[in-house]
Amino acid sequence: MLSLRPYQEEDVKELIQHDTHGIFNEQRTGKTPTSLVTIVAKTTGRILIVSTASMLFKWAEEARTWTARNVYVYGGSLGQRRIALEGFKKDEGSIMVISYGLLKNTSAYNGLVESLRKAPISGLIVDEVHRAVGRKTANFKALRKLVKIPYRYYLTGTPAPNHPSQVWSILTLIDPTRFSSFWNFVEDFFFIENVRLPYGKKLDHVQEPRGFLPGKEEVYTALLDRYSIMRKRKDVMPWLPKEEEPTQIKLPLTPAQQKYLFSMTKYYEAGDVLVQGVLDQLLRCRQICLAPELIGLKGKSPKLDWLADYIKDYPEKRIVIFSRFTQFLRLIEKKIPSVRVMVGDTSATERNALINDFQSDKLPVLAIQIDAGKEGITLDNADVLIFTDMYPPASDILQAKDRIVATSEERNKPKEIIELMMANSYDEELYKLTKEKIEFTDIANNYINYLERSEDIVQANV
């Protein structure tokens, strides 16, 4: 029979003392069993689990493993969803798993949230809650309608994807009375700056939080400690090697790329490709740095050539490649036959087959669109992780890196991370920007480390 690890048992004892709490343990430390054991200890009533669409059936499997409850999955066809909901409503002690997409209301779809907010549900687990840190998003609005559920636990390893102020969205789900105002929270902790918007927007400028006010970092970390638990892999998996600095490969731009980037930057066009606005301009520059043919321009792709050479030079290595662009991954698949690709529309069956083949040494190279592979998969058979491009949010990069981290000592082996970029271009600057974002949000995503240096903080301020 399965049992919790000692540190998970300690977490359960702590969580049981709170009716609602954040579980900010680092990825791969076993937040799922911890939350399930806790929630069934808190209530014998119905439990709702909100997860990403790709993890619905994984959560259902884990719920059956760690609880003695009946589990329903609200997914599949309309008929299957109807059967699941009817079963959940009739079965007082059951568990139902639903995706963000089927829970929330959008302009195109009315989700199940209005029905569920009126249902007699006693427990709630929300996985990957950082997907709801945008306080104006449909995900956040849906979760906020469920705060009357008595026992609630919110799971993420990255509570602040891009800025420490984003933690407010999770804190208000935990304690909506205390954290009722985002701007009151921001004014307590951060400098606020007026930021000019690009021409053509309805407003000339907006206010945005920046750095911490003097002395507020310590109060902030103590606050997070009060409303959540946090475990780091290094503390519970001491056998893990220290993460090495990524290897940066800076490739020279081709003459064609230089010409295209200059024209796109100065004239908002390159060849027959015209753009409007700074964001569209940046998108096209990123694509040119990957491969000009992605936007119908002539010219070679140094990144594609480098990948082909690297895979040929190191046939013994198991390689994972991440990119933001599905088109580029398809191009890799076309040009390098040994590479298989996982993107957003890859079926669950094919996705599982690709993961199993990679983990069992049948597949040497797997290329993944970052949004399709940053969560819920284990690729710890990898020797090398290659980023072909990088772009915020920083949490996506951190989660992508976590896919190759071993979850047992038997699977542990040295890993290398390679950042592939075009020198002296927007590409290189985006790597720097993302790293800065990671460093700044570290105070939220690793607040436990800051607490160790701030034990003398006056708790009365919290």
Side-chain angles (χ1 to χ4, degrees):
M1 183 173 177
L2 288 175
S3 60
L4 295 175
R5 296 168 182 171
Y7 71 86
Q8 291 174 310
E9 292 177 349
E10 292 177 12
D11 286 350
V12 170
K13 290 178 182 178
E14 171 65 21
L15 290 167
I16 284 176
Q17 299 179 47
H18 306 277
D19 291 346
T20 178
H21 219 55
I23 304 177
F24 296 166
N25 293 354
E26 198 168 12
Q27 286 89 350
R28 325 313 293 281
T29 55
K31 294 187 291 293
T32 300
T34 299
S35 62
L36 287 166
V37 171
T38 301
I39 200 80
V40 296
K42 293 289 287 187
T43 178
T44 58
R46 293 178 185 82
I47 296 168
L48 180 69
I49 298 174
V50 181
S51 80
T52 58
S54 63
M55 295 303 292
L56 279 178
F57 293 97
K58 182 62 177 176
W59 264 100
E61 178 186 344
E62 293 289 328
R64 294 186 182 102
T65 299
W66 291 99
T67 77
R69 310 286 186 92
N70 292 327
V71 181
Y72 301 93
V73 177
Y74 190 81
S77 67
L78 184 61
Q80 290 171 319
R81 298 201 301 267
R82 186 181 297 114
I83 291 171
L85 183 59
E86 289 174 355
F88 182 57
K89 288 183 175 180
K90 292 178 182 178
D91 193 343
E92 186 175 348
S94 64
I95 296 172
M96 188 172 80
V97 190
I98 187 172
S99 68
Y100 283 97
L102 294 178
L103 176 72
K104 65 186 178 183
N105 293 326
T106 68
S107 59
Y109 174 78
N110 286 326
L112 201 63
V113 65
E114 296 298 337
S115 174
L116 292 175
R117 72 185 300 190
K118 301 173 185 176
I121 299 172
S122 301
L124 173 68
I125 294 174
V126 179
D127 192 24
E128 307 292 1
V129 70
H130 59 270
R131 287 174 170 258
V133 295
R135 65 189 190 281
K136 296 182 180 180
T137 64
N139 282 346
F140 174 73
K141 292 175 181 177
L143 294 181
R144 203 164 192 186
K145 291 181 179 180
L146 301 177
V147 296
K148 291 187 178 181
I149 294 174
Y151 308 108
R152 308 185 307 280
Y153 299 99
Y154 301 93
L155 284 55
T156 178
T158 50
N162 260 335
H163 192 278
S165 64
Q166 293 175 314
V167 166
W168 174 85
S169 296
I170 305 174
L171 292 176
T172 193
L173 295 174
I174 296 172
D175 189 346
T177 301
R178 178 169 183 183
F179 300 100
S180 59
S181 169
F182 171 74
W183 285 108
N184 285 347
F185 177 79
V186 166
E187 289 168 0
D188 280 346
F189 289 101
F190 304 99
F191 290 104
I192 299 175
E193 180 180 338
N194 287 330
V195 179
R196 286 188 174 276
L197 294 175
Y199 176 77
K201 299 290 184 180
K202 291 183 178 179
L203 299 175
D204 293 332
H205 69 276
V206 293
Q207 290 187 318
E208 289 190 359
R210 294 306 191 195
F212 280 96
L213 293 168
K216 287 296 185 176
E217 289 186 15
E218 293 84 358
V219 182
Y220 175 90
T221 53
L223 183 70
L224 294 189
D225 187 48
R226 173 169 290 187
Y227 283 94
S228 68
I229 60 170
M230 177 176 280
R231 295 272 185 181
K232 309 309 293 181
R233 279 195 303 266
K234 63 180 178 62
D235 299 323
V236 299
M237 302 176 184
W239 39 265
L240 282 175
K242 182 180 178 181
E243 183 176 325
E244 300 293 334
E245 281 294 314
T247 300
Q248 291 193 335
I249 305 294
K250 299 182 181 182
L251 304 173
L253 293 163
T254 67
Q257 284 176 311
Q258 291 177 0
K259 181 183 70 173
Y260 297 143
L261 289 173
F262 175 80
S263 180
M264 184 63 68
T265 303
K266 188 168 184 178
Y267 304 113
Y268 285 74
E269 64 180 36
D272 295 328
V273 181
L274 305 177
V275 301
Q276 292 183 347
V278 174
L279 291 179
D280 194 19
Q281 178 194 51
L282 177 57
L283 173 65
R284 298 308 182 190
C285 287
R286 291 165 59 200
Q287 292 174 312
I288 291 169
C289 287
L290 279 171
E293 67 180 280
L294 293 180
I295 56 174
L297 299 175
K298 295 180 179 180
K300 298 184 66 176
S301 166
K303 289 190 179 184
L304 191 56
D305 291 343
W306 184 91
L307 286 170
D309 289 340
Y310 187 88
I311 292 168
K312 182 179 179 181
D313 291 342
Y314 297 97
E316 75 283 2
K317 292 188 176 182
R318 297 296 171 262
I319 301 167
V320 175
I321 300 169
F322 271 110
S323 174
R324 285 278 182 191
F325 293 91
T326 297
Q327 291 172 288
F328 185 61
L329 295 175
R330 292 300 187 196
L331 188 59
I332 294 173
E333 187 178 40
K334 178 181 177 182
K335 302 286 186 179
I336 311 174
S338 61
V339 179
R340 296 292 303 280
V341 167
M342 181 192 302
V343 295
D345 60 1
T346 301
S347 69
T349 301
E350 184 181 359
R351 174 189 173 96
N352 291 334
L354 289 171
I355 294 169
N356 291 335
D357 286 350
F358 184 84
Q359 288 289 87
S360 61
D361 285 333
K362 295 178 183 177
L363 176 63
V365 187
L366 180 59
I368 307 173
Q369 199 278 335
I370 197 166
D371 292 318
K374 65 185 180 184
E375 298 166 349
I377 63 174
T378 297
L379 299 169
D380 57 7
N381 194 37
D383 301 295
V384 183
L385 173 60
I386 301 172
F387 288 100
T388 64
D389 50 277
M390 198 169 284
Y391 194 75
S395 61
D396 289 359
I397 307 304
L398 294 173
Q399 288 189 309
K401 289 180 179 180
D402 282 332
R403 298 310 100 206
I404 67 170
V405 174
T407 54
S408 67
E409 191 167 3
E410 294 74 25
R411 298 289 291 182
N412 187 41
K413 60 179 179 178
K415 314 285 185 181
E416 182 181 13
I417 296 176
I418 295 176
E419 297 176 345
L420 192 59
M421 65 190 75
M422 304 309 297
N424 304 314
S425 71
Y426 285 109
D427 204 28
E428 188 173 355
E429 292 302 314
L430 285 171
Y431 276 87
K432 293 178 184 176
L433 173 63
T434 307
K435 183 177 181 181
E436 289 170 1
K437 289 281 189 181
I438 290 173
E439 291 172 349
F440 183 47
T441 56
D442 185 65
I443 195 167
N445 298 328
N446 293 300
Y447 73 77
I448 199 73
N449 297 334
Y450 291 83
L451 278 175
E452 292 170 0
R453 304 199 297 265
S454 309
E455 292 180 354
D456 297 330
I457 186 67
V458 179
Q459 294 295 328
N461 289 329
V462 178

